[in-house]
Structures are given as C-alpha cells and as structure tokens.
Amino acid sequence: RDFNERCAQCSEVNWGLTDGGRFYCRSCHNVTERTREVVNTDFITNSRVQTISKGLKTQEKNDGGCEWYICEGFQLVLKKQVEALEALGVCPQMKDEILCNFWRCYLQKSKQAYCKRPAGETVKALSVCESSTDVDSDPERPSLLHLLSLSESEGDLQTDCSFASSVSKVSESTSVYSGSVDGSLYLMKNQKENLRMTMPMTLSFCYLALLWVREPITLSELLRFVIEGHIPYMNVFQHFPEKMKLCGLDLKIFCVESWPVYEEVFNKMHELAAFLDLPRFPDITESCFLHPDMLCMKYLMEANLPDELHNWTCRVVKKIGIGEVDFLTLMPGNKSTRKVKYDVLAAAVIIVVLKLLFLLDDHYEWLLSEFAEERNRNNTEGGRYFEFKKWYEVVKRSLDIKQKKLDEEKAKFLWRCEKPLFYSVKNKSKVLKRRQMVVNLQNQFGKLSGSVQRAEKPNPSSFQLSWSEENTDGSCFHGHSLKGILQEKCGLLRAMNPDYWLCTVKLCNEKLCGHLAHYKEVEFPQSYHFVLGLFSFLLRIQPSYIHDEVCMIEHRLFNKKLCKKLKYNTVLRK
C-alpha cells in the first residue's frame, strides 16, 4: 500500500507482490525490479529489519538446479542458433531486431508471455493449490519466468501468470518425472491452435528471420549447415546452463534423433508466419540472391554446366512469370499465393532448360554428344563444344565420391551426446556410473589401438562441388559452347530439337495427395533421373519434390498447347 508509483506500462496504481517479494501490477501483470522491505514496528530487544526477497531461494532445488520452463529451453536453442548464423556472416541486426521480435510475438500469441492471464482450468488449479505465505497471498499474483533474453541488454519477460504459476503446481502433482516445471503439462496440452514449439520449429524461426532480411542462405543450405554441425541442433541441450536440469519428459522435447526434413521445416515456417500474423515480407527483386536468375547462376556453376545456359534459364523465368516480385515475395496468410521454394524452383528451371535443349530421353542427348565430340576433334582453334556424355561421366564420378562420403559420415554420427541423460531420478546414479565406465573403456581402447583423433570440421561453404577452369584435364565445362545444338532463326537462337516430352499431362491436387505429380524412377529416362539425383544431392531433398516443380514449370510454359490438347481429347471422347 505504501508503493504509490504508477505502472510503466498501463499507468495504474494497483500493486501486488510475487512469491519473490517483487511488486507486480494487478492490471497488466507487469513485474518490476522493486522488492518490498518489511520492518517490524513492534520494538523488542534483539529485533531486526527483515527483507523479503525469495526469488532466487525459491528457485533452488534439492539437486542444485533451478525452476525453468520449456520456452526458456527453446529460447536458449534459438540464441545458440542465431549466434552460429552470425558467425557464418549473417547481419547482426537479425538477432535483436528480427528474430527476437518474432520470438516475443510467438510467446504473446501462444499466451506464454507478454499477455494478461486467460481464464481456464489452470487458473482454477492455481486458486485451489495456492497456500498462504508471509507475503500477499492473492491467488492472481504471477510467478516470474526468468528467460535468458536473445538480446544481452534485455531483462526478464513479463509472463502469463496462469502458465508460470499454476503449471508448477500442476506438474508437482503429476507422477511423470521432468526436469522442467512444465514438461509434463507441455506434452499433455492440446496446443494445435497455439502452434506448439518443437525443435524443427527453431529452424523455421531462423529461416523466417533469414527470409525477412533477405540473406543469401536458402533453406537447403541452412539444413546442410545443421547436418554438418555448423549450426547447433543435434544435442544442443548440452549447452544449457548447469542449473537447468534436463531429464524425463524434457528429453522427448529437446532430444533429436533424426535429421531435419526440408518439407517439415518449410511448412512449419509458413504456419508460423500466419500464426504470428506477420505483414508482407520485403520484396524479392532481381538483385536479391533468392531470385531465380541469381540462384540458377549458382546452381549452374555447382553442377558444372555451361555458362551459356544462364541465358536460357532467364528466358524461361521471364516467359512463365516466376521472376515477378508478387510471385516470389512471401505474404503470410494469403492462401491464393503459392508457397515458393526458391532453391527447388531454380533447380527445376535448369532441368526444364536441359530438357528443352537435350530432351533427356536416353537417346537424343547421346546423339548430340557424338556430334559435339566429332567437332571437338576437328576444332583446333576456339572454344570447345559441350559434350553431354563427357559431362555425365565427370559429374557422376565426383557425385558418387561425395555421396559415399556423406553416407559414411551419417553412419558414423554419434547420436548419443556426451552429457549423460536419465529419464527418472531412480536411474540417475546407474546412468552416471555406466557413462563413466563407457568413457574409461573408450579411453583405454583408444590408447591401445592408437586411434586417430577426429579431424576438425571444415569451414562451411556454399558450394559442395567445385570446378576450376584452370584444370588441364578438361573436367570443367563452364566455358564450353552450345553452338552445336543451337540454330539462329529470326534473330534468335533456338534449339535444334523441336520435340519435348512432358513429365505429366495433368497435375494432381497438391492439398489432397501432397504432390503435384507422382515420381517413379522406372517410369522416366535414366538421364532425367540422373539430373534429378544431382540436384537432389545438392539440395538434400527428395527427387520427387524437384519433380513437382518441374511439372509446375512445364504446365506454365506449355499451358496453351495443353489446353488445346485437353479440349481436343474431350471432343474425341464425345
């Protein structure tokens, strides 16, 4: 009653006290740093002033840990991931100005922080479980959620009192063991409407922030950096502070036992953008790295294809309008716009161009290759003609080596973390003893066998396959010419090949079956499958998803001819 300062948020004078002795506003639940000092006014011998400030003491547990919440753990994961992205060269503003604001918005929308307490069963549980203490026993007082802010200058978050105080009471009454306060309740609650946070969603948050600042990192690159260990994801909970005890049900939330999947992270990113009710993202223009023209140039270099193909990819992009700003720019919540996978789209454009020029039917491309090989023998001056057969042999040899190395690294990956994990208090001593025994045995066998220490991680690179024109073995095809397969007509270079085969005549309903078209290797030529496999390796995505984009581009490119053919077939049936 003696504290008459106005609230910094709502300007009301209506204060209560938290368990830790801090003042909080009853109107907006804003928690201040001020604590209440209680002085015993009845003077007796040996009396003294007492200060009620139990914030830290109440958090300490018997095992030396402190009370922590699931969203605190996810915030630490996001903090580690964005710091790793900054180390890779991402602009520093992404951490504090973009990702931090997205995270705050998520906490508010999911009613975990920055909001008034909603009515519900947790509030009832709070009023029943609340016991009287030596401070204000108002059942509406919030329990402070101590979050480590993404920004170093930020303080504690204002939390949803029902989530923070009642959850601790509910979780204490459950028999399921959990290191966090709300671990058991977090898994039990039906949070479909609140978009429950998961480990793959942390990558969705990162990609959403990267997309907002238009950083030159695609989703496939982000996931590749995760797999290579440059961005914390696998066993990231090892970086939690020592006082944040992780055990029991917490492991089901933070312990990851599979690699992140492109489709899952991509779909969650769009769900997250709609859930946060974000505005239209900054425009993807021709000068932006995510524009198809820019990405096609990158993937042509990585696939060791001739530079002249870039002119053809630009023509296809312009022809079907997939380079327009409105098509490429993300507009959350707009169901009429297509969800663009920038890297997959660029790879599909290159494949369509290869089909336009080389057909990829296991016959025509080899015939052109024989002509180019003969011309290269007779050509003593000038540039070399592009030979599809030789390109196939060179790239396949390199691709097989890289794929074998990748498979070996995945097979050798240690899924178990160095930090011992236990699911119950009873098994804790056994797990620690067993872990120590395993470490001792590994050290002894390592000394006996003289095993070589693991090599340091190589520096991350945007290119997985590199080709240099300085090589004398002719393994680089960037400067090779396409003149052998082109002819000039009406002032424009056109393909000598007049034919084209479609992957599918009619597209499927993507919402019903998840794909625009179905892909089976046995139903398509081997050349087409090899090119799909090449870009599947580069993007670390299933070939069927690239095949979907190829079908979409083909239907945009040959829309008029397809409409005529469908009408003609309909008339014949009648």
Side-chain angles (χ1 to χ4, degrees), residues 10-11 37 41 80 88 100 152 183 201 254 261 270 288 343 376 378 381 424 451 454 459 471 504-505 511 539 541 558:
C10 64
S11 301
E37 294 184 353
T41 55
K80 293 293 182 182
L88 293 176
C100 188
E152 299 296 336
M201 266 187 66
F254 293 101
V261 180
H270 281 275
C288 180
D343 39 10
N376 284 331
N378 301 328
E381 298 178 359
S424 65
S451 58
R454 295 180 189 174
N459 294 328
N471 293 346
T504 181
V505 177
K511 293 182 180 179
L539 304 183
I541 190 173
F558 302 104

Side-chain angles (χ1 to χ4, degrees), residues 285-298:
T285 59
E286 291 183 1
S287 60
C288 180
F289 176 80
L290 297 176
H291 193 275
D293 290 346
M294 299 287 281
L295 284 175
C296 282
M297 189 185 301
K298 174 186 182 298

Side-chain angles (χ1 to χ4, degrees), residues 135-153:
V135 294
D136 186 3
S137 60
D138 190 338
E140 292 188 1
R141 66 171 178 269
S143 176
L144 188 62
L145 178 64
H146 296 281
L147 286 180
L148 301 176
S149 177
L150 290 174
S151 173
E152 299 296 336
S153 61

Side-chain angles (χ1 to χ4, degrees), residues 301-422:
M301 293 176 62
E302 194 164 11
N304 198 15
L305 287 166
D307 300 332
E308 292 181 15
L309 284 175
H310 187 246
N311 295 328
W312 285 83
T313 58
C314 292
R315 288 171 65 177
V316 171
V317 168
K318 187 177 181 180
K319 176 77 174 177
I320 62 179
I322 59 174
E324 300 295 329
V325 173
D326 291 338
F327 178 84
L328 296 172
T329 304
L330 176 61
M331 289 181 281
N334 191 344
K335 296 182 180 179
S336 61
T337 58
R338 194 171 188 273
K339 299 174 183 178
V340 182
K341 302 168 185 173
Y342 303 99
D343 39 10
V344 182
L345 181 67
V349 170
I350 295 174
I351 295 173
V352 170
V353 168
L354 289 175
K355 286 182 66 179
L356 285 169
L357 299 180
F358 298 96
L359 201 57
L360 301 184
D361 65 344
D362 288 345
H363 175 70
Y364 187 74
E365 64 271 23
W366 307 121
L367 187 63
L368 289 177
S369 184
E370 290 176 3
F371 291 154
E373 184 180 0
E374 186 178 347
R375 289 174 181 176
N376 284 331
R377 286 200 209 100
N378 301 328
N379 184 21
T380 55
E381 298 178 359
R384 295 181 62 82
Y385 291 97
F386 177 70
E387 299 178 34
F388 186 89
K389 181 180 178 181
K390 189 175 181 182
W391 170 82
Y392 169 84
E393 293 171 351
V394 170
V395 173
K396 189 177 188 305
R397 193 183 309 118
S398 179
L399 185 62
D400 289 343
I401 294 172
K402 291 285 185 180
Q403 186 66 57
K404 184 179 179 181
K405 184 179 179 182
L406 178 63
D407 294 340
E408 288 176 353
E409 288 176 354
K410 285 186 175 182
K412 292 178 181 178
F413 183 80
L414 297 176
W415 292 97
R416 290 191 177 185
C417 62
E418 297 177 0
K419 189 177 181 179
L421 305 173
F422 47 91

Side-chain angles (χ1 to χ4, degrees), residues 147-194:
L147 286 180
L148 301 176
S149 177
L150 290 174
S151 173
E152 299 296 336
S153 61
E154 291 290 337
D156 296 328
L157 297 180
Q158 309 135 21
T159 63
D160 166 20
C161 54
S162 69
F163 187 84
S165 57
S166 64
V167 160
S168 61
K169 302 296 180 182
V170 174
S171 61
E172 286 173 7
S173 62
T174 58
S175 59
V176 183
Y177 185 64
S178 173
S180 62
V181 174
D182 60 327
S184 56
L185 186 67
Y186 189 84
L187 291 175
M188 290 192 305
K189 284 180 70 176
N190 182 15
Q191 295 189 4
K192 287 184 178 180
E193 68 280 0
N194 290 339

